[in-house]
PDB file of all heavy atoms in Angstrom:
ATOM      1  N   PHE A   1    -134.287 -79.078-174.058  1.00  0.00           N
ATOM      2  CA  PHE A   1    -133.548 -77.888-173.694  1.00  0.00           C
ATOM      3  C   PHE A   1    -134.166 -76.682-174.380  1.00  0.00           C
ATOM      4  O   PHE A   1    -134.328 -76.727-175.598  1.00  0.00           O
ATOM      5  CB  PHE A   1    -132.064 -77.988-174.072  1.00  0.00           C
ATOM      6  CG  PHE A   1    -131.274 -76.794-173.586  1.00  0.00           C
ATOM      7  CD1 PHE A   1    -130.734 -76.794-172.313  1.00  0.00           C
ATOM      8  CD2 PHE A   1    -131.125 -75.673-174.368  1.00  0.00           C
ATOM      9  CE1 PHE A   1    -130.040 -75.675-171.837  1.00  0.00           C
ATOM     10  CE2 PHE A   1    -130.449 -74.553-173.915  1.00  0.00           C
ATOM     11  CZ  PHE A   1    -129.907 -74.557-172.642  1.00  0.00           C
ATOM     12  N   PRO A   2    -134.478 -75.604-173.630  1.00  0.00           N
ATOM     13  CA  PRO A   2    -134.509 -75.533-172.197  1.00  0.00           C
ATOM     14  C   PRO A   2    -135.371 -76.637-171.573  1.00  0.00           C
ATOM     15  O   PRO A   2    -136.258 -77.163-172.261  1.00  0.00           O
ATOM     16  CB  PRO A   2    -135.138 -74.159-171.910  1.00  0.00           C
ATOM     17  CG  PRO A   2    -134.854 -73.376-173.143  1.00  0.00           C
ATOM     18  CD  PRO A   2    -134.945 -74.371-174.266  1.00  0.00           C
ATOM     19  N   GLN A   3    -135.152 -76.954-170.324  1.00  0.00           N
ATOM     20  CA  GLN A   3    -135.622 -78.214-169.760  1.00  0.00           C
ATOM     21  C   GLN A   3    -137.116 -78.171-169.367  1.00  0.00           C
ATOM     22  O   GLN A   3    -137.453 -78.105-168.197  1.00  0.00           O
ATOM     23  CB  GLN A   3    -134.734 -78.588-168.600  1.00  0.00           C
ATOM     24  CG  GLN A   3    -133.298 -78.793-169.056  1.00  0.00           C
ATOM     25  CD  GLN A   3    -132.301 -78.875-167.913  1.00  0.00           C
ATOM     26  OE1 GLN A   3    -132.664 -79.130-166.774  1.00  0.00           O
ATOM     27  NE2 GLN A   3    -131.020 -78.718-168.218  1.00  0.00           N
ATOM     28  N   LEU A   4    -137.982 -78.251-170.401  1.00  0.00           N
ATOM     29  CA  LEU A   4    -139.420 -78.239-170.141  1.00  0.00           C
ATOM     30  C   LEU A   4    -139.983 -79.641-169.960  1.00  0.00           C
ATOM     31  O   LEU A   4    -141.086 -79.805-169.426  1.00  0.00           O
ATOM     32  CB  LEU A   4    -140.155 -77.551-171.309  1.00  0.00           C
ATOM     33  CG  LEU A   4    -139.686 -76.150-171.678  1.00  0.00           C
ATOM     34  CD1 LEU A   4    -140.647 -75.557-172.706  1.00  0.00           C
ATOM     35  CD2 LEU A   4    -139.600 -75.248-170.476  1.00  0.00           C
ATOM     36  N   CYS A   5    -139.250 -80.661-170.389  1.00  0.00           N
ATOM     37  CA  CYS A   5    -139.747 -82.039-170.211  1.00  0.00           C
ATOM     38  C   CYS A   5    -139.825 -82.417-168.738  1.00  0.00           C
ATOM     39  O   CYS A   5    -140.576 -83.314-168.360  1.00  0.00           O
ATOM     40  CB  CYS A   5    -138.778 -83.030-170.887  1.00  0.00           C
ATOM     41  SG  CYS A   5    -138.921 -83.103-172.689  1.00  0.00           S
ATOM     42  N   PHE A   6    -139.043 -81.731-167.922  1.00  0.00           N
ATOM     43  CA  PHE A   6    -138.882 -82.159-166.545  1.00  0.00           C
ATOM     44  C   PHE A   6    -139.817 -81.407-165.584  1.00  0.00           C
ATOM     45  O   PHE A   6    -139.726 -81.577-164.376  1.00  0.00           O
ATOM     46  CB  PHE A   6    -137.430 -81.959-166.105  1.00  0.00           C
ATOM     47  CG  PHE A   6    -136.457 -82.601-167.056  1.00  0.00           C
ATOM     48  CD1 PHE A   6    -135.491 -81.831-167.644  1.00  0.00           C
ATOM     49  CD2 PHE A   6    -136.537 -83.940-167.372  1.00  0.00           C
ATOM     50  CE1 PHE A   6    -134.563 -82.414-168.536  1.00  0.00           C
ATOM     51  CE2 PHE A   6    -135.631 -84.531-168.252  1.00  0.00           C
ATOM     52  CZ  PHE A   6    -134.663 -83.757-168.848  1.00  0.00           C
ATOM     53  N   ILE A   7    -140.699 -80.546-166.106  1.00  0.00           N
ATOM     54  CA  ILE A   7    -141.656 -79.845-165.269  1.00  0.00           C
ATOM     55  C   ILE A   7    -143.045 -80.012-165.868  1.00  0.00           C
ATOM     56  O   ILE A   7    -143.195 -80.294-167.052  1.00  0.00           O
ATOM     57  CB  ILE A   7    -141.309 -78.341-165.151  1.00  0.00           C
ATOM     58  CG1 ILE A   7    -141.299 -77.703-166.535  1.00  0.00           C
ATOM     59  CG2 ILE A   7    -139.992 -78.146-164.452  1.00  0.00           C
ATOM     60  CD1 ILE A   7    -141.073 -76.206-166.506  1.00  0.00           C
ATOM     61  N   ASP A   8    -144.058 -79.823-165.035  1.00  0.00           N
ATOM     62  CA  ASP A   8    -145.428 -79.961-165.466  1.00  0.00           C
ATOM     63  C   ASP A   8    -145.905 -78.646-166.060  1.00  0.00           C
ATOM     64  O   ASP A   8    -146.156 -77.684-165.333  1.00  0.00           O
ATOM     65  CB  ASP A   8    -146.346 -80.378-164.299  1.00  0.00           C
ATOM     66  CG  ASP A   8    -147.800 -80.562-164.755  1.00  0.00           C
ATOM     67  OD1 ASP A   8    -148.029 -80.544-165.986  1.00  0.00           O
ATOM     68  OD2 ASP A   8    -148.665 -80.693-163.888  1.00  0.00           O
ATOM     69  N   VAL A   9    -146.030 -78.568-167.403  1.00  0.00           N
ATOM     70  CA  VAL A   9    -146.449 -77.321-168.012  1.00  0.00           C
ATOM     71  C   VAL A   9    -147.815 -77.488-168.679  1.00  0.00           C
ATOM     72  O   VAL A   9    -148.246 -76.618-169.410  1.00  0.00           O
ATOM     73  CB  VAL A   9    -145.409 -76.858-169.081  1.00  0.00           C
ATOM     74  CG1 VAL A   9    -144.126 -76.477-168.437  1.00  0.00           C
ATOM     75  CG2 VAL A   9    -145.208 -77.928-170.131  1.00  0.00           C
ATOM     76  N   THR A  10    -148.518 -78.588-168.338  1.00  0.00           N
ATOM     77  CA  THR A  10    -149.830 -78.796-168.949  1.00  0.00           C
ATOM     78  C   THR A  10    -150.792 -77.725-168.517  1.00  0.00           C
ATOM     79  O   THR A  10    -151.562 -77.191-169.355  1.00  0.00           O
ATOM     80  CB  THR A  10    -150.371 -80.180-168.529  1.00  0.00           C
ATOM     81  OG1 THR A  10    -149.437 -81.174-168.882  1.00  0.00           O
ATOM     82  CG2 THR A  10    -151.706 -80.434-169.224  1.00  0.00           C
ATOM     83  N   HIS A  11    -150.795 -77.365-167.256  1.00  0.00           N
ATOM     84  CA  HIS A  11    -151.714 -76.354-166.752  1.00  0.00           C
ATOM     85  C   HIS A  11    -150.991 -75.186-166.130  1.00  0.00           C
ATOM     86  O   HIS A  11    -151.612 -74.239-165.672  1.00  0.00           O
ATOM     87  CB  HIS A  11    -152.647 -76.962-165.704  1.00  0.00           C
ATOM     88  CG  HIS A  11    -153.467 -78.125-166.229  1.00  0.00           C
ATOM     89  ND1 HIS A  11    -154.419 -77.975-167.180  1.00  0.00           N
ATOM     90  CD2 HIS A  11    -153.400 -79.434-165.939  1.00  0.00           C
ATOM     91  CE1 HIS A  11    -154.940 -79.180-167.458  1.00  0.00           C
ATOM     92  NE2 HIS A  11    -154.332 -80.082-166.737  1.00  0.00           N
ATOM     93  N   GLY A  12    -149.681 -75.224-166.108  1.00  0.00           N
ATOM     94  CA  GLY A  12    -148.912 -74.158-165.473  1.00  0.00           C
ATOM     95  C   GLY A  12    -148.217 -73.306-166.505  1.00  0.00           C
ATOM     96  O   GLY A  12    -148.589 -73.261-167.669  1.00  0.00           O
ATOM     97  N   TYR A  13    -147.171 -72.630-166.062  1.00  0.00           N
ATOM     98  CA  TYR A  13    -146.406 -71.805-166.977  1.00  0.00           C
ATOM     99  C   TYR A  13    -144.942 -72.186-166.917  1.00  0.00           C
ATOM    100  O   TYR A  13    -144.506 -72.802-165.941  1.00  0.00           O
ATOM    101  CB  TYR A  13    -146.602 -70.336-166.665  1.00  0.00           C
ATOM    102  CG  TYR A  13    -146.243 -69.930-165.257  1.00  0.00           C
ATOM    103  CD1 TYR A  13    -144.964 -69.500-164.939  1.00  0.00           C
ATOM    104  CD2 TYR A  13    -147.209 -69.981-164.253  1.00  0.00           C
ATOM    105  CE1 TYR A  13    -144.640 -69.139-163.634  1.00  0.00           C
ATOM    106  CE2 TYR A  13    -146.884 -69.627-162.951  1.00  0.00           C
ATOM    107  CZ  TYR A  13    -145.598 -69.202-162.650  1.00  0.00           C
ATOM    108  OH  TYR A  13    -145.281 -68.877-161.361  1.00  0.00           O
ATOM    109  N   VAL A  14    -144.201 -71.846-167.936  1.00  0.00           N
ATOM    110  CA  VAL A  14    -142.783 -72.179-168.033  1.00  0.00           C
ATOM    111  C   VAL A  14    -142.045 -71.400-166.948  1.00  0.00           C
ATOM    112  O   VAL A  14    -142.264 -70.228-166.734  1.00  0.00           O
ATOM    113  CB  VAL A  14    -142.237 -71.852-169.416  1.00  0.00           C
ATOM    114  CG1 VAL A  14    -140.739 -72.114-169.495  1.00  0.00           C
ATOM    115  CG2 VAL A  14    -142.992 -72.680-170.470  1.00  0.00           C
ATOM    116  N   SER A  15    -141.101 -72.057-166.281  1.00  0.00           N
ATOM    117  CA  SER A  15    -140.351 -71.431-165.220  1.00  0.00           C
ATOM    118  C   SER A  15    -139.549 -70.256-165.762  1.00  0.00           C
ATOM    119  O   SER A  15    -139.141 -70.227-166.942  1.00  0.00           O
ATOM    120  CB  SER A  15    -139.403 -72.428-164.567  1.00  0.00           C
ATOM    121  OG  SER A  15    -138.367 -72.796-165.470  1.00  0.00           O
ATOM    122  N   GLU A  16    -139.285 -69.283-164.890  1.00  0.00           N
ATOM    123  CA  GLU A  16    -138.492 -68.132-165.286  1.00  0.00           C
ATOM    124  C   GLU A  16    -137.078 -68.557-165.662  1.00  0.00           C
ATOM    125  O   GLU A  16    -136.459 -67.958-166.549  1.00  0.00           O
ATOM    126  CB  GLU A  16    -138.453 -67.137-164.146  1.00  0.00           C
ATOM    127  CG  GLU A  16    -139.803 -66.444-163.877  1.00  0.00           C
ATOM    128  CD  GLU A  16    -140.350 -65.722-165.118  1.00  0.00           C
ATOM    129  OE1 GLU A  16    -139.537 -65.078-165.814  1.00  0.00           O
ATOM    130  OE2 GLU A  16    -141.561 -65.856-165.359  1.00  0.00           O
ATOM    131  N   GLU A  17    -136.576 -69.617-164.995  1.00  0.00           N
ATOM    132  CA  GLU A  17    -135.236 -70.123-165.323  1.00  0.00           C
ATOM    133  C   GLU A  17    -135.151 -70.605-166.765  1.00  0.00           C
ATOM    134  O   GLU A  17    -134.206 -70.301-167.493  1.00  0.00           O
ATOM    135  CB  GLU A  17    -134.891 -71.262-164.376  1.00  0.00           C
ATOM    136  CG  GLU A  17    -133.487 -71.826-164.620  1.00  0.00           C
ATOM    137  CD  GLU A  17    -133.152 -72.997-163.714  1.00  0.00           C
ATOM    138  OE1 GLU A  17    -133.998 -73.349-162.842  1.00  0.00           O
ATOM    139  OE2 GLU A  17    -132.067 -73.590-163.862  1.00  0.00           O
ATOM    140  N   ALA A  18    -136.216 -71.354-167.205  1.00  0.00           N
ATOM    141  CA  ALA A  18    -136.223 -71.833-168.582  1.00  0.00           C
ATOM    142  C   ALA A  18    -136.335 -70.665-169.573  1.00  0.00           C
ATOM    143  O   ALA A  18    -135.694 -70.661-170.631  1.00  0.00           O
ATOM    144  CB  ALA A  18    -137.372 -72.809-168.771  1.00  0.00           C
ATOM    145  N   LYS A  19    -137.130 -69.668-169.207  1.00  0.00           N
ATOM    146  CA  LYS A  19    -137.254 -68.476-170.084  1.00  0.00           C
ATOM    147  C   LYS A  19    -135.948 -67.760-170.189  1.00  0.00           C
ATOM    148  O   LYS A  19    -135.581 -67.260-171.257  1.00  0.00           O
ATOM    149  CB  LYS A  19    -138.359 -67.557-169.559  1.00  0.00           C
ATOM    150  CG  LYS A  19    -139.772 -68.069-169.699  1.00  0.00           C
ATOM    151  CD  LYS A  19    -140.741 -67.040-169.150  1.00  0.00           C
ATOM    152  CE  LYS A  19    -142.150 -67.568-169.170  1.00  0.00           C
ATOM    153  NZ  LYS A  19    -143.116 -66.578-168.611  1.00  0.00           N
ATOM    154  N   GLU A  20    -135.238 -67.653-169.072  1.00  0.00           N
ATOM    155  CA  GLU A  20    -133.962 -66.982-169.070  1.00  0.00           C
ATOM    156  C   GLU A  20    -132.958 -67.678-169.988  1.00  0.00           C
ATOM    157  O   GLU A  20    -132.171 -67.055-170.692  1.00  0.00           O
ATOM    158  CB  GLU A  20    -133.394 -66.873-167.643  1.00  0.00           C
ATOM    159  CG  GLU A  20    -134.112 -65.842-166.774  1.00  0.00           C
ATOM    160  CD  GLU A  20    -133.620 -65.847-165.350  1.00  0.00           C
ATOM    161  OE1 GLU A  20    -132.638 -66.578-165.068  1.00  0.00           O
ATOM    162  OE2 GLU A  20    -134.214 -65.139-164.515  1.00  0.00           O
ATOM    163  N   GLU A  21    -132.993 -69.037-169.945  1.00  0.00           N
ATOM    164  CA  GLU A  21    -132.094 -69.816-170.833  1.00  0.00           C
ATOM    165  C   GLU A  21    -132.356 -69.460-172.294  1.00  0.00           C
ATOM    166  O   GLU A  21    -131.433 -69.381-173.093  1.00  0.00           O
ATOM    167  CB  GLU A  21    -132.273 -71.305-170.562  1.00  0.00           C
ATOM    168  CG  GLU A  21    -131.689 -71.769-169.279  1.00  0.00           C
ATOM    169  CD  GLU A  21    -131.940 -73.245-169.020  1.00  0.00           C
ATOM    170  OE1 GLU A  21    -132.936 -73.788-169.566  1.00  0.00           O
ATOM    171  OE2 GLU A  21    -131.135 -73.857-168.342  1.00  0.00           O
ATOM    172  N   LEU A  22    -133.635 -69.354-172.640  1.00  0.00           N
ATOM    173  CA  LEU A  22    -133.982 -68.950-174.018  1.00  0.00           C
ATOM    174  C   LEU A  22    -133.579 -67.532-174.304  1.00  0.00           C
ATOM    175  O   LEU A  22    -132.988 -67.218-175.333  1.00  0.00           O
ATOM    176  CB  LEU A  22    -135.489 -69.126-174.226  1.00  0.00           C
ATOM    177  CG  LEU A  22    -135.984 -70.505-174.660  1.00  0.00           C
ATOM    178  CD1 LEU A  22    -137.515 -70.517-174.693  1.00  0.00           C
ATOM    179  CD2 LEU A  22    -135.434 -70.884-176.033  1.00  0.00           C
ATOM    180  N   GLY A  23    -133.943 -66.632-173.380  1.00  0.00           N
ATOM    181  CA  GLY A  23    -133.692 -65.210-173.594  1.00  0.00           C
ATOM    182  C   GLY A  23    -132.225 -64.894-173.760  1.00  0.00           C
ATOM    183  O   GLY A  23    -131.868 -63.966-174.487  1.00  0.00           O
ATOM    184  N   GLU A  24    -131.353 -65.634-173.080  1.00  0.00           N
ATOM    185  CA  GLU A  24    -129.922 -65.378-173.154  1.00  0.00           C
ATOM    186  C   GLU A  24    -129.348 -65.707-174.527  1.00  0.00           C
ATOM    187  O   GLU A  24    -128.273 -65.203-174.880  1.00  0.00           O
ATOM    188  CB  GLU A  24    -129.176 -66.206-172.101  1.00  0.00           C
ATOM    189  CG  GLU A  24    -129.393 -65.730-170.669  1.00  0.00           C
ATOM    190  CD  GLU A  24    -128.859 -66.690-169.651  1.00  0.00           C
ATOM    191  OE1 GLU A  24    -128.328 -67.740-170.047  1.00  0.00           O
ATOM    192  OE2 GLU A  24    -128.948 -66.378-168.431  1.00  0.00           O
ATOM    193  N   ASN A  25    -130.048 -66.538-175.280  1.00  0.00           N
ATOM    194  CA  ASN A  25    -129.505 -66.996-176.569  1.00  0.00           C
ATOM    195  C   ASN A  25    -130.342 -66.558-177.781  1.00  0.00           C
ATOM    196  O   ASN A  25    -130.034 -66.944-178.906  1.00  0.00           O
ATOM    197  CB  ASN A  25    -129.404 -68.526-176.560  1.00  0.00           C
ATOM    198  CG  ASN A  25    -128.424 -69.029-175.548  1.00  0.00           C
ATOM    199  OD1 ASN A  25    -127.246 -68.919-175.734  1.00  0.00           O
ATOM    200  ND2 ASN A  25    -128.924 -69.551-174.445  1.00  0.00           N
ATOM    201  N   LEU A  26    -131.379 -65.723-177.551  1.00  0.00           N
ATOM    202  CA  LEU A  26    -132.219 -65.274-178.638  1.00  0.00           C
ATOM    203  C   LEU A  26    -132.225 -63.763-178.718  1.00  0.00           C
ATOM    204  O   LEU A  26    -132.004 -63.072-177.746  1.00  0.00           O
ATOM    205  CB  LEU A  26    -133.667 -65.751-178.444  1.00  0.00           C
ATOM    206  CG  LEU A  26    -133.948 -67.251-178.474  1.00  0.00           C
ATOM    207  CD1 LEU A  26    -135.399 -67.521-178.156  1.00  0.00           C
ATOM    208  CD2 LEU A  26    -133.594 -67.849-179.839  1.00  0.00           C
ATOM    209  N   SER A  27    -132.477 -63.260-179.942  1.00  0.00           N
ATOM    210  CA  SER A  27    -132.653 -61.810-180.081  1.00  0.00           C
ATOM    211  C   SER A  27    -133.966 -61.419-179.385  1.00  0.00           C
ATOM    212  O   SER A  27    -134.820 -62.256-179.102  1.00  0.00           O
ATOM    213  CB  SER A  27    -132.745 -61.434-181.568  1.00  0.00           C
ATOM    214  OG  SER A  27    -133.903 -61.977-182.147  1.00  0.00           O
ATOM    215  N   GLU A  28    -134.097 -60.142-179.107  1.00  0.00           N
ATOM    216  CA  GLU A  28    -135.288 -59.666-178.424  1.00  0.00           C
ATOM    217  C   GLU A  28    -136.568 -59.953-179.216  1.00  0.00           C
ATOM    218  O   GLU A  28    -137.570 -60.373-178.655  1.00  0.00           O
ATOM    219  CB  GLU A  28    -135.188 -58.157-178.167  1.00  0.00           C
ATOM    220  CG  GLU A  28    -136.330 -57.598-177.312  1.00  0.00           C
ATOM    221  CD  GLU A  28    -136.143 -56.121-176.986  1.00  0.00           C
ATOM    222  OE1 GLU A  28    -135.041 -55.598-177.241  1.00  0.00           O
ATOM    223  OE2 GLU A  28    -137.090 -55.513-176.480  1.00  0.00           O
ATOM    224  N   ASP A  29    -136.506 -59.771-180.542  1.00  0.00           N
ATOM    225  CA  ASP A  29    -137.670 -60.018-181.399  1.00  0.00           C
ATOM    226  C   ASP A  29    -138.066 -61.503-181.360  1.00  0.00           C
ATOM    227  O   ASP A  29    -139.261 -61.824-181.253  1.00  0.00           O
ATOM    228  CB  ASP A  29    -137.389 -59.594-182.832  1.00  0.00           C
ATOM    229  CG  ASP A  29    -137.413 -58.076-183.016  1.00  0.00           C
ATOM    230  OD1 ASP A  29    -137.914 -57.412-182.104  1.00  0.00           O
ATOM    231  OD2 ASP A  29    -136.898 -57.591-184.028  1.00  0.00           O
ATOM    232  N   ALA A  30    -137.076 -62.382-181.454  1.00  0.00           N
ATOM    233  CA  ALA A  30    -137.370 -63.803-181.461  1.00  0.00           C
ATOM    234  C   ALA A  30    -137.951 -64.261-180.143  1.00  0.00           C
ATOM    235  O   ALA A  30    -138.913 -65.033-180.069  1.00  0.00           O
ATOM    236  CB  ALA A  30    -136.113 -64.619-181.798  1.00  0.00           C
ATOM    237  N   TYR A  31    -137.364 -63.761-179.039  1.00  0.00           N
ATOM    238  CA  TYR A  31    -137.874 -64.116-177.710  1.00  0.00           C
ATOM    239  C   TYR A  31    -139.286 -63.594-177.500  1.00  0.00           C
ATOM    240  O   TYR A  31    -140.169 -64.325-177.012  1.00  0.00           O
ATOM    241  CB  TYR A  31    -136.951 -63.578-176.617  1.00  0.00           C
ATOM    242  CG  TYR A  31    -137.435 -63.898-175.223  1.00  0.00           C
ATOM    243  CD1 TYR A  31    -137.260 -65.182-174.689  1.00  0.00           C
ATOM    244  CD2 TYR A  31    -138.097 -62.925-174.448  1.00  0.00           C
ATOM    245  CE1 TYR A  31    -137.730 -65.468-173.415  1.00  0.00           C
ATOM    246  CE2 TYR A  31    -138.562 -63.237-173.184  1.00  0.00           C
ATOM    247  CZ  TYR A  31    -138.387 -64.500-172.682  1.00  0.00           C
ATOM    248  OH  TYR A  31    -138.857 -64.808-171.432  1.00  0.00           O
ATOM    249  N   ASP A  32    -139.510 -62.351-177.875  1.00  0.00           N
ATOM    250  CA  ASP A  32    -140.866 -61.756-177.711  1.00  0.00           C
ATOM    251  C   ASP A  32    -141.927 -62.525-178.497  1.00  0.00           C
ATOM    252  O   ASP A  32    -143.075 -62.617-178.074  1.00  0.00           O
ATOM    253  CB  ASP A  32    -140.849 -60.286-178.139  1.00  0.00           C
ATOM    254  CG  ASP A  32    -140.128 -59.395-177.127  1.00  0.00           C
ATOM    255  OD1 ASP A  32    -139.880 -59.871-176.005  1.00  0.00           O
ATOM    256  OD2 ASP A  32    -139.781 -58.243-177.505  1.00  0.00           O
ATOM    257  N   SER A  33    -141.515 -63.084-179.644  1.00  0.00           N
ATOM    258  CA  SER A  33    -142.465 -63.821-180.469  1.00  0.00           C
ATOM    259  C   SER A  33    -142.924 -65.126-179.805  1.00  0.00           C
ATOM    260  O   SER A  33    -143.959 -65.690-180.168  1.00  0.00           O
ATOM    261  CB  SER A  33    -141.870 -64.145-181.855  1.00  0.00           C
ATOM    262  OG  SER A  33    -140.855 -65.152-181.746  1.00  0.00           O
TER     263      SER A  33
END
């Protein structure tokens, strides 16, 4: 969680949905890092 185990991120990028899950629970500085 966020659910990165269930998608192929070896050569791709993290889904916007997963990023949103992180962004909703992190400060702007932590997320940007």
Side-chain angles (χ1 to χ4, degrees):
F1 185 87
Q3 299 168 18
L4 306 188
C5 284
F6 309 122
I7 59 176
D8 181 10
V9 294
T10 303
H11 301 293
Y13 57 91
V14 176
S15 69
E16 291 303 318
E17 181 182 357
K19 289 181 185 178
E20 286 176 6
E21 287 178 333
L22 273 174
E24 289 171 359
N25 295 286
L26 295 176
S27 67
E28 186 176 349
D29 286 344
Y31 178 78
D32 288 345
S33 72

